[in-house]
């Protein structure tokens, strides 16, 4: 878990809290497991720790074939929406076009600098954009760092989870300067990544069954967070 990924997971005086904490604890409890949390600074470091056998489960992971080579995946348990955020002074017309996708989107991003999460994936089209313009993408560990870069106009855009962005704009100092755009860079289901061998086949089935049995309750928790931070429920 991250100790600074609001409102998904945070740590205060030894206690972990947030949306992802509530979800995993509900699933683990139903499956009959207990958990010990480990704080890691970035997605890339987390994946390395899993490969080295130091952690067993990673939340909120997108499925990719490269990750499948060293991890198992649970059933999906929620939807992730990665939005493009910009400085409020940026009034380019394309930012309001909700259906702008693919090459049309990335032609507008050309030669602009985009801040992203270190180790995260944003789909094939973003990978092509990044390959064609490697200097256009910079990585940071924390959402606050990405928003700081936008606020100070050191980058034109940040790609961020819609709920995290809404939290920072509502609770942080970014509301006067940073705005969500209509552009969804990447929308996909997320899973738990599981270290091969950490769960038996029967335990993995129990884990997945707990996701299935609690889908309505999990969705209610997610919806409550969306309402709290002014987003439409998914």
């Amino acid at each position: 878990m991250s100790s600074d990924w609001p409102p998904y997971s945070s740590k205060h005086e030894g206690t972990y809290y947030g949306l992802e904490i509530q979800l995993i604890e509900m699933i683990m409890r139903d499956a009959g497991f207990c958990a010990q949390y480990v704080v890691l600074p970035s997605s890339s470091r987390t994946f390395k720790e899993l490969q080295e056998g130091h952690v067993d489960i990673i939340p909120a992971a997108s499925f990719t074939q490269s990750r499948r080579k060293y991890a198992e995946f649970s059933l999906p348990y929620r939807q992730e929406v990665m939005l493009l955020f910009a400085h409020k002074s940026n009034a380019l017309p394309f930012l309001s076009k909700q259906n702008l996708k693919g090459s049309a989107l990335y032609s507008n991003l050309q030669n602009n600098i985009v801040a992203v999460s270190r180790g995260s994936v944003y789909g094939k089209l973003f990978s092509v954009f990044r390959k064609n313009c490697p200097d256009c993408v910079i990585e940071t560990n924390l959402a606050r760092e990405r928003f700081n870069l936008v606020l100070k106009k050191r980058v034109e855009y940040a790609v961020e989870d819609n709920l995290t962005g809404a939290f920072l704009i509502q609770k942080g100092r970014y509301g006067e300067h940073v705005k969500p755009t209509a552009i969804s860079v990447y929308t996909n289901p997320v899973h738990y990544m599981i270290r091969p061998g950490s769960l038996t086949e029967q335990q993995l089935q129990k884990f997945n069954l707990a996701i299935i049995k609690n889908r309505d309750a999990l969705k209610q928790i997610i919806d409550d967070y969306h309402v709290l931070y002014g987003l439409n429920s998914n």
Side-chain angles (χ1 to χ4, degrees):
M1 288 292 184
S2 171
S3 61
D4 189 9
W5 181 30
Y8 288 101
S9 67
S10 299
K11 183 182 180 183
H12 179 67
E13 296 182 349
T15 300
Y16 293 83
Y17 60 93
L19 172 56
E20 284 289 353
I21 303 298
Q22 289 181 249
L23 299 183
I24 189 61
E25 289 190 348
M26 177 177 287
I27 293 167
M28 296 287 252
R29 184 166 55 248
D30 191 280
F33 304 148
C34 59
Q36 176 183 349
Y37 297 120
V38 178
V39 172
L40 295 168
S42 67
S43 295
S44 56
R45 171 68 180 277
T46 301
F47 299 142
K48 183 177 180 180
E49 292 294 301
L50 183 134
Q51 291 179 73
E52 293 181 354
H54 299 152
V55 298
D56 300 315
I57 297 178
I58 301 172
S62 300
F63 177 88
T64 68
Q65 291 297 334
S66 60
R67 292 176 179 177
R68 184 65 184 87
K69 294 176 182 178
Y70 62 85
E72 296 181 284
F73 284 79
S74 75
L75 293 174
Y77 66 95
R78 68 174 177 86
Q79 194 78 357
E80 181 180 66
V81 179
M82 306 303 295
L83 290 183
L84 196 68
F85 288 81
H87 197 280
K88 284 190 173 181
S89 63
N90 188 338
L92 292 176
F94 86 92
L95 295 175
S96 63
K97 296 180 180 179
Q98 189 171 4
N99 295 323
L100 189 64
K101 304 287 183 183
S103 58
L105 166 60
Y106 293 109
S107 65
N108 281 282
L109 292 183
Q110 189 174 11
N111 299 323
N112 288 302
I113 301 177
V114 183
V116 301
S117 172
R118 181 172 285 110
S120 296
V121 297
Y122 302 102
K124 293 180 179 179
L125 292 174
F126 191 87
S127 296
V128 172
F129 165 73
R130 186 172 190 163
K131 182 178 180 179
N132 292 337
C133 187
D135 293 335
C136 294
V137 179
I138 65 170
E139 296 182 329
T140 73
N141 288 343
L142 300 176
R144 298 179 198 276
E145 296 171 337
R146 294 184 282 281
F147 270 36
N148 283 335
L149 292 173
V150 174
L151 185 152
K152 296 173 183 178
K153 297 186 177 181
R154 294 179 179 173
V155 303
E156 281 77 20
Y157 305 106
V159 179
E160 191 52 63
D161 176 271
N162 65 338
L163 185 55
T164 296
F167 175 93
L168 291 177
I169 287 172
Q170 186 180 121
K171 299 291 186 181
R173 59 193 179 93
Y174 307 103
E176 297 180 7
H177 305 283
V178 180
K179 65 180 180 180
T181 72
I183 304 297
S184 174
V185 173
Y186 191 44
T187 301
N188 72 301
V190 295
H191 313 249
Y192 293 104
M193 284 178 68
I194 300 171
R195 181 175 62 83
S198 60
L199 298 180
T200 66
E201 188 63 33
Q202 185 179 20
Q203 288 173 330
L204 182 57
Q205 289 175 1
K206 289 176 65 177
F207 190 87
N208 281 324
L209 182 59
I211 294 174
I212 295 171
K213 288 168 58 181
N214 291 283
R215 282 209 189 278
D216 289 344
L218 298 174
K219 184 178 185 302
Q220 187 61 59
I221 294 171
I222 295 165
D223 288 350
D224 288 346
Y225 272 84
H226 279 74
V227 170
L228 185 60
Y229 297 109
L231 297 178
N232 294 325
S233 298
N234 291 329

